[in-house]
């Protein structure tokens, strides 16, 4: 594979090239205490030095002296809100004649910089879910097709990361157009698609030293990971534990608030609702993120199938770590650790697996 | 710039051709697509369902009860239980609604051909199996004995009483009804539905089709298995909350399955373990 | 001559905020009683403020009145910051004015279009009026909506907004959010000017009563959050001295608290503000008023309709100036160091001066609270005005006419009966 | 066809919830076209005893008169909907229910004997049958419009009761508990407001009332870890929705278990 090098000062060249391909460029920004993807205005630069500290139920940003732009490991979002927005209109209907029409949406071509390996793994799971069925989701597809992805290899892991154990990180291996490895003074770049390759062609090659440095960084990120999921497929463990007391023990702590499912980059549950104009002349059908932690998720008339938090947590856990295998051929967890950090009471999925496993 | 092609969630407009009040709480809507071209492409299997959309209110899964040969008319028997069904109850002939489908895996009618068929429904759930019963009655010669069993709490809960009376007149068809509590005009069994099993003879090659509350299905399946009906020959129609019906919204998951696309009809052998655990 | 006895009772006053009723007792040439009865049930706010932490005060007091929550929040935060010696940044100061402008615009537009104009044009309600005057009503609703949206910018919602804190705001809108709203301000300014011009074409009844107007006055700006208390008859005191000059009483003929200034009934609210602070009014407002050759008179309560429209235009223009070069700051609130003591402040609610006093202990908990809302201050004035107006009209007039006149007078004051802190149930006193 | 008749009644409240109707903007005129507004004192029409299809009630029951009045409202209406915390749980003024409120009255009013006030402020549901409740302090126009639209379609409105966190996350607000250790009530509060407080980086103070699942034990323990005191924690439940069952219970549990 060809590796290129771009000094930090020359990064604007890459941005310029990207602007020829994309109407919108999204970059990580520190906003309200977390790193989130946000539009890069022309002339604006990516802010250096931000680094986050994460732990169960904790996330805080620190501004360091480092010149690096991608020192942080993960933010609360992956690509999920971009390809699958929290709330969107599906179609509209006119009262006159009850005629249905799609809601036309034009999706700007978007380049997004700073995507992590776990985010890419999650994206390919969402692809399988939304596009792999007999009824591909057209809205998802439009947004998916509009993306140009610039990934970045993690040089650091957060305390909550465990992508090494799930096999999804810390360096990007698939699903990107371009991947960066950030060094103090610049970037080692590689392409992951034909269009990525064509953009990089003009850049100069990376040298030995730069390549070694970038590889070392990944090793460092690997060595920083303290959490993990067991290497084996968890299906049999979970399936034999469906009636274990462990779920009650978790339910004593779990709030059933749905934060974990919302931040999880692979959770896809949503509900639909009709929003009619007050005068009743037309109505729009919306879908919005839902969670298996709500009552309505398992409601059928007169019964809530999972009325207890214990069964809801079990549903989430079982789906993520066991049933995903049946549905999409692999576990639904990519090791990003978001559900650990963003749980208001700090419930830790890796710890719960360990407990179930008798540790 | 990329723009959306047509969404798989977009319903088609249908018109109410006829509305029949079956009981106080159940009514049948006979529907037909406005777009004739589309109507011609539309095909379905007994046991499949459609998503019906009531203007401005919401979309719900409803089984198709009419015969596949009855197209272009599509019948839905709807029980008024809550928000959307209450609104649908007000629809009149000529009103329009939205429909998309058909979805899901229907009853294994091919497997049942030339075999005995036992249909069991309980509680309020019966619409899904009516399609199978109708299918058999229309093609009576293709099937052996047809046994229909239903258990209700109160005699007044029995929907389509007149139909049971009609069905019982059809050759080689047996009807077993039970109500937990009796009443003056209840000629059938008073007691649990499971007590009826002792009165019938079940040939081992019987294909059983069940629909109703999960508790009731569990109990009946136990009886069937004890009476040496093969697990592979037992089928049940499951219900879960459904928002999209195309395996996207995640609500209808039942273990690893999506009820909307892997079901609603499941072979018992496949879901045996799941069915044993509450809250799955 | 036949001596006529007439008792007019309006059990529920329409188009006022909260529920009040009116009782008139006329005996021949004499108006024996004119009572604006306020039977809003007491909600005992001052009591449940006790024991609360100072940080909770803005969210609690907002709920005294859904119509002017911003005013309650602003009086409270200024009182507490005064006690804690908090220095707020220029940004906070400016954005608090924007926030308050939103409430003035919303409240005044609501009053003019939904409550007052139907009187002037002869309709029972605004939707009815809209059938004949659709454009005017829709314009009014748009102005009202913009006011609401200004509040939402900083408070998330316009009723019981959530962003105001002792020390500043919990957060700030993004530049983008501000720009979206900013781009609507020009239209609002134009429409407010049209509204003012239109109202100036109304022929308002003459009236000239002699009583003072009271409002805050500020050295270099139209008063909102700061200033000294001034009156049209020469009072000029710091707000801390309020209690030396103003007393709330239960008067014999009514059980509602009424506030007097040195034994005199007085007026607070937009009309008093406009008259006392005319030099700080926006230029465009002055130009329009001059062109119409109207001299505002505190003694004519009908002029408050005009004053409200003037303040809408003023507030919309001021909001525009203050948001022109908006930047989202790094910090939106100051650090608070609590201190025990007495916290006092007054700000200008849409309906007039709103005075708060809190006693705070060393843990930052409220020990005692006292709130004097504008409506209780205007109460005595409203009754005096009723007497005057009805007598001038002629007590011999038909009941319907007297009753309409009386209701209209009351509505001129835009009394907000929901500021229920001090109001009693009147019916117990009826014979 | 006859238009449905609508009444808006006010009980003990701040008037804020009615504003959800008056603040609808131009849609207020649409509403006036759709229904016959026969009683809505603040907007003009006054006919409190009229028979109506839909009665919207704001405010709690806190006076002897209101005790009687609510019965008549119920008799006169087909469908009775409460809007807001006051009507749905008793409102902030229900804080008096935990106190000797006659003492409170005499503390404020020199001539307390004139005050006709009950010792409690209670929800409408505690006095008459209620067909649907809209939660929130205040409710907003979105909720009221959706409710009315459903009724006009002849179906029941939708009860939004899942946790605020879901809405907060849909808005993509970074959680204030996680980023700032703020004791946010969102996990125990129902959706509807649009996650306004967390949007401004502020902890939710539960003005919409309890969500469907309230695990206060776990959350309080967490906040205790942040250094939040017992009194502070109690005040957070004993706030605007103090009279809601799940919060009342939480207060009792905190009082009992906090120090363990
Ligand atoms: C595959 C399938 C086939 C069905 N076939 C029929 C049929 O032929 N006839 C019939 O009367 N009913 C049938 N049902 C049940 C029917 O879908 C529900 O009764 C209906 O959704 C209730 O809607 P509601 O708004 O009136 O009830 P509410 O209780 O007000 O429910 C609110 C919402 O919850 C969801 N919901 C509630 N109950 C169910 C449920 N059982 N299944 C899925 N979602 C639910 C819906 O989105 C509904 O709008 C079927 C259900 C499934 C899953
Ligand atoms: S389950 Fe948790 S760690 Fe795994 S992908 Fe989802 S959020 Fe990340
Ligand atoms: S619920 Fe809140 S906003 Fe509504 S009336 Fe009561 S105090 Fe006011
Ligand atoms: S800020 Fe509050 S409402 Fe939002 S996710 Fe966190 S706990 Fe939930």
């Amino acid at each position: 594979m060809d590796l290129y090098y771009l000094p930090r000062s020359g990064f604007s060249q890459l941005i310029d090239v990207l602007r020829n391909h994309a109407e919108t460029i999204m970059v990580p920004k520190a906003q309200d205490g977390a790193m989130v993807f946000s539009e890069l205005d022309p002339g604006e630069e990516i802010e250096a030095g931000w680094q986050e500290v994460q732990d169960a139920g904790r996330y805080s940003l620190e501004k360091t002296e480092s010149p690096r732009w991608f020192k942080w490991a993960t933010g609360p979002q992956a690509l999920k809100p971009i390809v699958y927005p929290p709330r969107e209109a599906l179609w509209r209907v006119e009262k006159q004649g009850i005629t249905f029409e799609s809601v036309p949406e034009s999706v700007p071509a978007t380049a997004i910089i700073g995507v992590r390996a776990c985010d890419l793994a999650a994206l390919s799971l969402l692809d399988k879910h939304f596009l792999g069925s007999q009824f591909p989701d057209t809205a998802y597809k439009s947004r998916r097709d509009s993306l140009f992805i610039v990934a970045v290899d993690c040089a650091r892991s957060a305390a909550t990361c465990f992508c090494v154990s799930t096999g999804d990180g810390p360096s990007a291996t698939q699903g990107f157009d371009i991947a960066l490895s950030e060094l103090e003074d610049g970037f080692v770049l590689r392409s992951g698609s034909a269009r990525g390759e064509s953009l990089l062609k003009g850049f100069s090659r990376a040298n030995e030293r730069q390549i070694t440095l970038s590889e070392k960084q990944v090793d460092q990120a690997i060595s920083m990971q303290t959490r993990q999921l067991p290497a084996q497929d968890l299906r049999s463990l979970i399936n034999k534990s469906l009636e274990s007391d462990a779920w009650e023990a978790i339910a004593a702590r779990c709030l059933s608030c749905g934060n974990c499912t919302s931040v999880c980059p692979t959770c896809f549950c949503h509900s639909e609702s009709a929003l009619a104009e007050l005068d009743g002349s037309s109505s729009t059908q919306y879908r919005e993120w839902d969670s298996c932690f709500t009552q309505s998720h398992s409601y059928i008339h007169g019964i809530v199938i999972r009325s207890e938090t214990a069964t809801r947590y079990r549903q989430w856990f079982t789906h993520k770590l066991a049933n995903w295998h049946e549905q999409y051929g692999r576990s639904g967890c990519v090791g990003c650790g978001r559900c650990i950090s963003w749980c208001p009471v700090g419930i830790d999925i890796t710890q719960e697996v360990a407990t179930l496993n008798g540790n | 710039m990329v723009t959306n092609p047509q969404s798989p969630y977009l319903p088609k407009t249908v018109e109410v051709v006829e509305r029949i009040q079956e009981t106080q709480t159940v009514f049948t809507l006979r529907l037909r697509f406005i777009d004739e071209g589309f109507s011609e492409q539309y095909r379905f299997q007994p046991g499949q369902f459609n998503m019906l959309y009531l203007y401005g209110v919401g979309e719900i899964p409803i089984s198709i009860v009419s015969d596949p040969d009855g197209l272009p008319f599509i019948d839905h028997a709807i029980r008024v239980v809550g928000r959307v069904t209450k609104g649908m109850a007000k629809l009149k002939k000529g009103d329009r609604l939205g429909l998309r489908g058909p979805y899901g895996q229907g009853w294994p009618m091919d497997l049942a051909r030339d075999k005995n068929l036992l249909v069991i429904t309980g509680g309020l759930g019966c619409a899904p199996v009516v399609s199978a019963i109708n299918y058999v009655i229309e093609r009576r010669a293709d099937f052996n004995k047809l046994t229909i069993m239903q258990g209700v709490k109160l005699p007044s809960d029995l929907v389509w009483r007149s139909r049971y009376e009609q069905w019982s007149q059809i050759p080689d068809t047996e009807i077993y009804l039970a109500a937990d509590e009796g009443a003056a005009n209840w000629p059938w069994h008073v007691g649990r539905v499971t007590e009826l099993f002792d009165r019938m003879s079940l040939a081992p090659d019987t294909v059983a089709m069940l629909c109703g509350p999960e508790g009731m299905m569990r109990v009946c399946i136990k009886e069937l298995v004890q009476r040496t009906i093969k697990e592979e020959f037992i089928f049940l129609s499951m219900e879960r909350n459904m928002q999209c019906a195309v395996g996207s919204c995640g609500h209808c998951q039942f273990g690893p399955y999506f009820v909307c696309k892997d079901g609603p009809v499941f072979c018992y052998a496949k879901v045996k373990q799941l069915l044993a655990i509450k809250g799955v | 001559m036949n001596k006529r006895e007439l008792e007019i009772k309006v059990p529920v006053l329409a188009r006022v905020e909260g529920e009040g009723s009116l009782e008139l007792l006329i005996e021949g040439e004499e108006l024996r009683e004119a009572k604006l009865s306020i039977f809003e049930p007491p909600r005992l706010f001052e009591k449940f403020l006790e024991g609360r932490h100072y940080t909770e005060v803005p969210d609690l007091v907002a709920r005294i009145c859904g119509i002017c929550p911003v005013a309650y929040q602003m009086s409270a935060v200024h009182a507490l910051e005064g006690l804690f010696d908090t220095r707020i940044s220029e940004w906070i100061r400016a954005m608090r004015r924007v926030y308050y402008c939103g409430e003035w615009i919303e409240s005044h537009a609501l009053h003019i279009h939904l409550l007052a104009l139907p009187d002037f044009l002869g309709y029972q309600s605004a939707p009815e009026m809209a059938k004949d005057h659709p454009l005017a009503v829709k314009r009014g609703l748009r102005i009202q909506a913009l006011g609401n949206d200004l509040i939402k910018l900083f408070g998330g919602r316009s009723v019981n907004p959530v962003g105001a804190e002792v020390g500043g705001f919990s957060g700030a809108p993004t530049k983008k959010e501000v720009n979206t709203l900013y781009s609507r301000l020009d239209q609002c300014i134009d429409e407010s000017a049209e509204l003012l011009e239109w109202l100036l074409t109304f022929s308002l009844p003459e009236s000239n009563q002699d009583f003072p107007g009271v409002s805050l006055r500020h050295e270099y700006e139209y008063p909102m959050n700061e200033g000294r208390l001034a009156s049209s008859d020469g009072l000029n005191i710091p707000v801390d001295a309020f209690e030396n000059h103003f007393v709330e009483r239960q008067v014999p003929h009514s059980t509602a608290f009424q506030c007097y200034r040195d034994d005199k009934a007085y007026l607070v609210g937009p009309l008093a503000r406009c008259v006392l602070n005319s030099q700080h009014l926006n230029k465009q407002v002055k130009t329009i008023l001059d062109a119409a050759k109207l001299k505002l008179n505190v003694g004519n309560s009908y002029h408050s309709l005009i004053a409200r429209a003037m303040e809408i235009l003023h507030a919309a223009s001021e909001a525009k100036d203050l948001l022109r070069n908006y930047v989202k700051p790094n910090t939106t609130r100051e650090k608070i160091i609590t201190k025990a003591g007495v916290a006092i402040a007054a700000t200008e609610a849409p309906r007039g001066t709103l005075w708060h006093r809190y006693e705070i202990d060393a843990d930052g908990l409220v020990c005692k609270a006292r709130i004097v809302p504008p409506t209780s201050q205007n109460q005595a004035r409203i009754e005096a005005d009723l007497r005057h107006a009805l007598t001038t009209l002629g007590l011999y007039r038909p009941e319907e006419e007297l009753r309409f006149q009386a209701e209209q007078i009351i509505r001129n004051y835009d009394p907000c009966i929901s500021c229920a802190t001090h109001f009693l149930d009147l019916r117990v006193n009826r014979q | 066809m006859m238009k449905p008749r609508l009444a808006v009644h006010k009980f003990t409240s701040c008037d804020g919830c009615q504003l959800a109707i008056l603040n609808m903007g131009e849609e207020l005129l649409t509403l006036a076209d759709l229904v016959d507004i026969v009683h809505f004192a603040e907007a003009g029409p006054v006919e409190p005893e009229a028979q109506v299809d839909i009665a919207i009630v704001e405010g709690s029951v806190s006076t002897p008169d209101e005790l009687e009045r609510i019965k008549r409202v119920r008799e006169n209406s087909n469908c009775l909907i409460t809007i807001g915390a006051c009507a749905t749980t008793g409102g902030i003024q229900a804080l008096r229910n935990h106190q000797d409120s006659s003492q409170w009255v005499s503390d404020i009013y020199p001539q307390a004997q004139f005050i006709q006030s009950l010792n409690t402020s209670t929800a409408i549901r505690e006095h008459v049958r209620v067909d649907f409740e809209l939660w929130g302090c205040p409710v907003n126009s979105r909720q009221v419009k959706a409710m009315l639209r459903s009724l006009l379609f002849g179906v029941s409105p939708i009860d939004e009761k899942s946790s605020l966190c879901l809405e907060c996350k849909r808005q993509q607000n970074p959680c204030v508990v996680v980023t700032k250790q703020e004791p946010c009530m969102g996990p125990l509060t129902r959706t509807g407001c649009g996650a306004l407080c967390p949007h401004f980086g502020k902890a939710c103070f539960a003005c919409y009332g309890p969500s469907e699942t309230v695990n206060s034990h776990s959350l309080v323990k967490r906040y205790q870890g942040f250094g939040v005191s017992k009194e502070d924690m109690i005040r957070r439940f004993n706030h605007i929705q103090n009279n809601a069952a799940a919060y009342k219970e939480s207060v009792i549990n905190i009082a009992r278990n906090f120090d363990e």
Side-chain angles (χ1 to χ4, degrees), chain C residues 353-395:
Chain C
T353 315
L354 169 61
W355 187 86
H356 286 207
R357 177 184 187 278
Y358 302 92
E359 287 173 28
I360 305 290
D361 73 10
D363 297 327
L365 301 177
V366 177
C367 312
K368 226 174 176 165
R370 185 171 169 224
I371 290 167
V372 183
T375 297
S376 99
Q377 303 184 64
N378 277 343
Q379 173 108 357
R381 185 60 238 131
I382 299 175
E383 288 182 3
D385 200 353
L386 274 175
R387 284 173 179 282
H388 173 84
L390 296 178
T391 324
T392 317
L393 181 72
L395 292 172

Side-chain angles (χ1 to χ4, degrees), chain A residues 11 15 18-19 23-32 34-42 44-47 50 69-70 72 75-79 81-82 109-115 119 147-148, chain C residues 174-176 328, chain D residues 171-172 174:
Chain A
F11 198 78
I15 302 257
L18 287 174
R19 284 215 192 270
E23 289 159 64
T24 306
I25 296 190
M26 311 266 284
V27 300
K29 289 188 189 174
Q31 260 170 30
D32 303 316
M35 295 308 293
V36 296
F37 288 116
S38 181
E39 203 174 324
L40 184 75
D41 294 327
E44 193 188 4
E45 282 186 1
I46 306 177
E47 236 188 294
W50 287 109
W69 297 339
F70 304 105
W72 54 280
Q77 324 153 310
L79 295 174
I82 295 170
T110 301
I112 175 157
I113 304 175
V115 177
D119 301 347
L147 279 191
F148 185 99
Chain C
T174 59
K175 175 92 183 148
K176 214 176 185 168
K328 186 175 168 170
Chain D
Q171 313 255 338
Q172 302 284 300

Side-chain angles (χ1 to χ4, degrees), chain C residues 43 63 159-160, chain D residues 13-17 58 84-86 92-93 136-138:
Chain C
R43 288 167 77 216
R63 284 162 174 82
V159 183
N160 302 344
Chain D
S13 70
C14 80
D15 267 41
C17 288
E58 171 195 274
C86 297
I92 191 165
Q93 59 273 16
C137 181

Side-chain angles (χ1 to χ4, degrees), chain C residues 415-431:
Chain C
C416 177
I417 295 166
S418 308
C419 301
T421 20
H422 292 268
F423 297 139
L424 315 188
D425 187 314
L426 195 82
R427 276 150 310 160
V428 284
N429 245 4
R430 274 186 206 141
Q431 294 95 24

Side-chain angles (χ1 to χ4, degrees), chain C residues 215-219 223 226-228 230 235-236 276-277 279:
Chain C
S215 102
L216 288 180
R217 193 145 65 187
H218 190 272
E219 223 180 311
E226 294 158 38
R228 291 165 67 84
L235 181 83
N236 182 350
L276 282 160
N277 301 282
Q279 75 275 28

Side-chain angles (χ1 to χ4, degrees), chain A residues 162 260 263-266 316 320 332-340 349:
Chain A
F162 55 97
C260 50
V263 292
C264 176
T266 69
W316 181 64
K320 188 108 314 186
C333 175
V334 296
C336 71
R338 288 187 174 89
C339 58
I340 305 174
I349 191 172

Side-chain angles (χ1 to χ4, degrees), chain C residues 45 57-66 68-70 72-73 160-161, chain D residues 14:
Chain C
F45 262 88
V57 172
D59 288 323
L60 284 165
V61 294
R63 284 162 174 82
I64 291 176
C65 173
C68 50
V70 169
Y72 278 87
Q73 293 183 333
N160 302 344
Chain D
C14 80

